[in-house]
Amino acid sequence: SQQGEEDPQALSIQEGENATMNCSYKTSINNLQWYRQNSGRGLVHLILIRSNEREKHSGRLRVTLDTSKKSSSLLITASRAADTASYFCAVAHSGNTPLVFGKGTRLSVIA
Amino acid sequence: DGGITQSPKYLFRKEGQNVTLSCEQNLNHDAMYWYRQDPGQGLRLIYYSQIVNDFQKGDIAEGYSVSREKKESFPLTVTSAQKNPTAFYLCASSIEFSGRGQQFFGPGTRLTVL
């Protein structure tokens, strides 16, 4: 499969803790994207990291990309109850092919 | 107020009926997509359109049909040939088809077969 595989499938943490989610893929990519989905809603784009980038930040989000290991991680620092959602990685492979989404990580932040 | 709209939010269908899900965008995006999401699962691509009057099958196109007669609209028909249509359906768009940019998603339509 060309899709990204997220790990863990589910994660439960206390408010204020950091949350780390990982995404692995199998073939070369143009970029990797992270999305968030609140229950019963559409996905919202969080961050895009290109294959020649190693780290990007956006507010409390930090994304890293290791192309040698074909993996990416999403770190949410100082989590809040409002961060409770599912988080998906999506890989954009080289060439003219659609984004491929993984199955997601369900994050629960307990107040 | 730009964005993607999907209607209806909830849809109920009797077995054997065709139903059409609406997706409209005013973002002036060339590319549009339809995904299916089952409980606790990721997104699976049904159909996509790179440009008006063009569309291609995704990974799970059987039992579905689409049209792209206008840039703004990409309706999805769930036909009676789709054996297990109960799911959450998401429409998305992007400036261009290549995966280099982000996709913008609508709020989704939850389809239930009675």
Side-chain angles (χ1 to χ4, degrees), chain B residues 55-70:
Chain B
F55 51 83
Q56 285 85 37
K57 293 180 179 180
D59 299 319
I60 56 165
E62 186 174 352
Y64 300 97
S65 65
V66 293
S67 62
R68 186 86 187 276
E69 297 175 1
K70 297 188 297 182

Side-chain angles (χ1 to χ4, degrees), chain A residues 3 30-31 33 35 37 40-45 48 50 88 92-104 106, chain B residues 6 9 33 35 37 40-45 48 50 59 88 90 97-108 110:
Chain A
Q3 71 181 137
N30 177 280
N31 68 67
Q33 303 177 28
Y35 290 79
Q37 183 183 34
R41 303 287 188 92
L43 276 70
V44 174
H45 182 263
L48 181 155
R50 293 181 172 79
F88 295 87
H93 294 286
S94 304
N96 201 30
T97 57
L99 273 182
V100 182
F101 287 83
K103 294 185 177 181
R106 293 186 305 280
Chain B
Q6 291 185 242
K9 186 173 176 67
Y33 313 82
Y35 295 93
Q37 187 177 32
Q41 299 296 311
L43 279 64
R44 291 187 289 170
L45 183 63
Y48 61 95
Q50 299 187 45
D59 299 319
F88 189 52
L90 286 161
F97 171 69
S98 74
R100 293 174 180 81
Q102 68 182 86
Q103 291 187 9
F104 294 78
F105 283 80
R110 189 167 299 280

Side-chain angles (χ1 to χ4, degrees), chain A residues 18-89:
Chain A
N18 295 344
T20 300
M21 289 157 268
N22 303 296
C23 174
S24 60
Y25 56 92
K26 295 184 177 179
T27 58
S28 64
I29 61 170
N30 177 280
N31 68 67
L32 187 145
Q33 303 177 28
W34 286 92
Y35 290 79
R36 167 193 169 125
Q37 183 183 34
N38 286 70
S39 182
R41 303 287 188 92
L43 276 70
V44 174
H45 182 263
L46 295 176
I47 202 163
L48 181 155
I49 187 164
R50 293 181 172 79
S51 60
N52 61 354
E53 297 175 314
R54 291 297 166 258
E55 187 171 314
K56 286 190 83 169
H57 296 255
S58 178
R60 292 183 296 113
L61 305 181
R62 173 178 166 248
V63 169
T64 60
L65 179 65
D66 187 335
T67 53
S68 66
K69 295 182 180 179
K70 293 187 171 58
S71 68
S72 173
S73 67
L74 169 66
L75 169 67
I76 303 174
T77 60
S79 63
R80 306 166 181 168
D83 294 328
T84 295
S86 291
Y87 293 82
F88 295 87
C89 70

